[in-house]
Amino acid sequence: MNDHPNLEVMKRAVQAFREGDGATLAQVFSTDVVWHVPGTSSLAKDYRGQAEVFGFFGRLMELTGGTFALESLDMFANDRGGVFVDRVTAERNGRKLDVRLLLQVIIKDGQIVEGFDCFHQEHLWDAFWA
């Protein structure tokens, strides 16, 4: 059985993120993508457009000395988009991060147009970036 087309978009996006493949990221994210990051940390905000969203992704790597990592635990897709179930780990300033992320994405015409980060133990996410 073939995977849902939106699942293929999601797989391409996570692979491109891991590899730092900007060309593929630019293909799978719409130019006017919006990314919602919850919480109270300095990273919490709505990022608008590829430049801001990709800048946020780069900042995750920069602030963690490249240790920021996503372990995909599961992915689900339907005609509206999909959900990633991930384990997020990183190290920064002698601290370690290890939280679950449920990431909902809205996909239209084969591109991610919106993302909603939802962290289990959001207080740990916020404290890590303080």
Side-chain angles (χ1 to χ4, degrees):
M1 188 155 140
N2 291 334
D3 285 340
H4 191 284
N6 284 342
L7 189 61
E8 292 301 323
V9 171
M10 294 166 62
K11 287 178 180 179
R12 286 183 67 210
V14 75
Q15 189 65 30
F17 175 84
R18 284 187 182 127
E19 295 175 358
D21 180 353
T24 300
L25 287 173
Q27 291 173 2
V28 296
F29 284 83
S30 71
T31 56
D32 58 352
V33 62
V34 178
W35 204 264
H36 307 279
V37 180
T40 58
S41 77
S42 61
L43 297 177
K45 71 177 249 179
D46 293 340
Y47 296 87
R48 299 184 182 282
Q50 283 186 355
E52 281 193 10
V53 172
F54 298 168
F56 165 64
F57 295 163
R59 193 137 164 79
L60 295 172
M61 293 300 184
E62 174 189 328
L63 292 173
T64 63
T67 65
F68 188 91
L70 290 174
E71 176 187 350
S72 295
L73 303 175
D74 221 332
M75 290 184 216
F76 306 94
N78 60 28
D79 291 340
R80 294 177 308 279
V83 175
F84 294 86
V85 180
D86 297 325
R87 178 182 180 206
V88 176
T89 57
E91 293 184 27
R92 177 174 184 252
N93 298 332
R95 291 179 289 191
K96 292 186 179 193
L97 177 68
D98 189 347
V99 295
R100 293 290 190 272
L101 166 66
L102 297 178
L103 166 58
Q104 179 196 16
V105 292
I106 308 300
I107 300 173
K108 293 183 182 170
D109 300 321
Q111 290 186 309
I112 297 170
V113 298
E114 195 163 13
F116 298 86
D117 284 345
C118 302
F119 296 97
H120 177 253
Q121 295 184 311
E122 187 176 301
H123 65 285
L124 296 177
W125 169 264
D126 286 336
F128 180 77
W129 300 108

